[in-house]
């Protein structure tokens, strides 16, 4: 079955450490996205990529970095510069065309807790 | 700038009764509108969308939503609620304008269906 795989599902980090969250898709989608979900705040866009080797900042990119070396993969690094990284991080992708480009397919998410 | 408002943090409804989850939006042009659902400990799933055409849109699991341009609303409805409908529901909007247009999510409404 096609879908998005995120790992790890749960991650604990000490303050000052960088961590990388994995997002892999086998849907042949061009666009991929990273969101952050906090209680009562909905989903906020961190970074997005519409094509390999290209990505743009979203609304809350400070303290995060990404890469898009392969179409299937869009890893997110949460750096020590992110002041409040404890959150749930869903990754998403979307396809091409008038229909496909409009619907986001989400992974199960990664929950990061800073100790 | 585009925005979405979900005025209710939580909606409680008895099983078998009709349910409504409210959403209003603001965009500069014409909107694409979406509903997504997040079951406990799961990733977000697409429910339905409005692109163009009929104002009443039918989606998964018996849900439907009505696009009202004059009231800038896109309320989610179901004629008869099930306990299994209990989840977090997100409304989202994208401007139809050309080029990449990000999706803006509401803050979410928790639906609790009481047996």
């Amino acid at each position: 079955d096609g879908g998005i795989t995120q790992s790890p599902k749960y991650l604990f980090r000490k303050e000052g450490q960088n961590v990388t969250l994995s997002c892999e898709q086998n849907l042949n989608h061009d666009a991929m996205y990273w969101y952050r979900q906090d209680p009562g705040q909905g989903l906020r866009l961190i970074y997005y990529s519409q094509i390999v080797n290209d990505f743009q900042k979203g609304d809350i990119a400070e303290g995060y970095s990404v890469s898009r070396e392969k179409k299937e993969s869009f890893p997110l690094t949460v750096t020590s510069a992110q002041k409040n990284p404890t959150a749930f991080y869903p990754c998403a992708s979307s396809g091409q065309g008038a229909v496909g480009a409009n619907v986001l397919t989400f992974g199960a998410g990664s929950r990061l807790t800073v100790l | 700038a585009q925005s979405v408002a979900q005025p209710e943090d939580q909606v409680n409804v008895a099983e078998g009764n009709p349910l409504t989850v409210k959403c209003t939006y603001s965009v500069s042009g014409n909107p694409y509108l979406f509903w997504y659902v997040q079951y406990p400990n799961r990733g977000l799933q697409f429910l339905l969308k409005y692109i163009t055409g009929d104002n009443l849109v039918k989606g998964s699991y018996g849900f439907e939503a009505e696009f009202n341009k004059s009231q800038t609303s896109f309320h989610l409805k179901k004629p008869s609620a099930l306990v299994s409908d209990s989840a977090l529901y997100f409304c989202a909007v994208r401007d139809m304008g050309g080029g990449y247009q990000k999706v803006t999510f509401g803050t979410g409404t928790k639906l609790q269906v009481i047996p």
Side-chain angles (χ1 to χ4, degrees):
Chain A
D1 288 338
I4 297 180
T5 301
Q6 290 190 243
S7 63
K9 188 171 183 178
Y10 299 97
L11 182 62
F12 298 89
R13 183 193 99 174
K14 294 181 179 179
E15 286 193 17
Q17 287 182 333
N18 292 353
V19 294
T20 297
L21 308 180
S22 170
C23 179
E24 304 274 336
Q25 54 101 356
N26 61 2
L27 300 166
N28 199 33
H29 285 171
D30 286 309
M32 297 187 74
Y33 314 79
W34 273 106
Y35 288 89
R36 172 179 171 141
Q37 183 178 359
D38 295 282
Q41 295 195 48
L43 277 74
R44 292 179 290 168
L45 183 64
I46 304 173
Y47 269 98
Y48 65 96
S49 168
Q50 293 180 270
I51 196 169
V52 174
N53 293 322
D54 186 48
F55 49 82
Q56 286 78 40
K57 293 181 179 180
D59 299 319
I60 55 165
E62 185 176 352
Y64 300 97
S65 66
V66 294
S67 62
R68 187 83 187 278
E69 297 177 1
K70 300 186 297 182
K71 187 175 184 178
E72 303 79 20
S73 179
F74 191 42
L76 174 74
T77 297
V78 184
T79 75
S80 57
Q82 169 51 235
K83 298 305 179 187
N84 185 22
T86 295
F88 182 69
Y89 292 89
C91 175
S93 68
S94 65
Q96 289 288 350
V99 174
N102 295 320
V103 175
L104 297 172
T105 300
F106 283 89
S110 293
R111 185 168 298 279
L112 172 63
T113 302
V114 174
L115 303 173
Chain B
Q2 60 191 35
S3 64
V4 176
Q6 293 183 244
E8 301 154 317
D9 291 335
Q10 181 159 335
V11 170
N12 297 321
V13 63
E15 186 176 24
N17 283 3
L19 69 88
T20 298
V21 182
K22 296 179 180 178
C23 171
T24 58
Y25 66 90
S26 174
V27 294
S28 56
N30 291 316
Y32 291 146
L33 293 157
F34 309 86
W35 277 100
Y36 289 85
V37 60
Q38 186 176 34
Y39 296 103
N41 300 314
R42 301 281 297 275
L44 278 82
Q45 299 176 33
F46 168 74
L47 262 185
L48 52 79
K49 66 181 177 183
Y50 171 82
I51 303 297
T52 187
D54 289 341
N55 290 341
L56 185 63
V57 178
K58 294 187 183 297
S60 306
Y61 313 120
F63 284 93
E64 58 188 28
E66 185 168 12
F67 170 63
N68 188 318
K69 188 172 183 178
S70 63
Q71 297 185 6
T72 61
S73 67
F74 190 57
H75 301 330
L76 181 69
K77 298 182 180 183
K78 188 174 182 181
S80 178
L82 300 173
V83 172
S84 57
D85 292 331
S86 298
L88 187 57
Y89 291 81
F90 290 96
C91 182
V93 67
R94 171 182 278 167
D95 197 310
M96 278 191 191
Y100 174 74
Q101 298 290 339
K102 72 174 186 179
V103 176
T104 298
F105 285 83
T107 52
T109 298
K110 182 178 180 181
L111 174 66
Q112 191 75 35
V113 180
I114 303 164

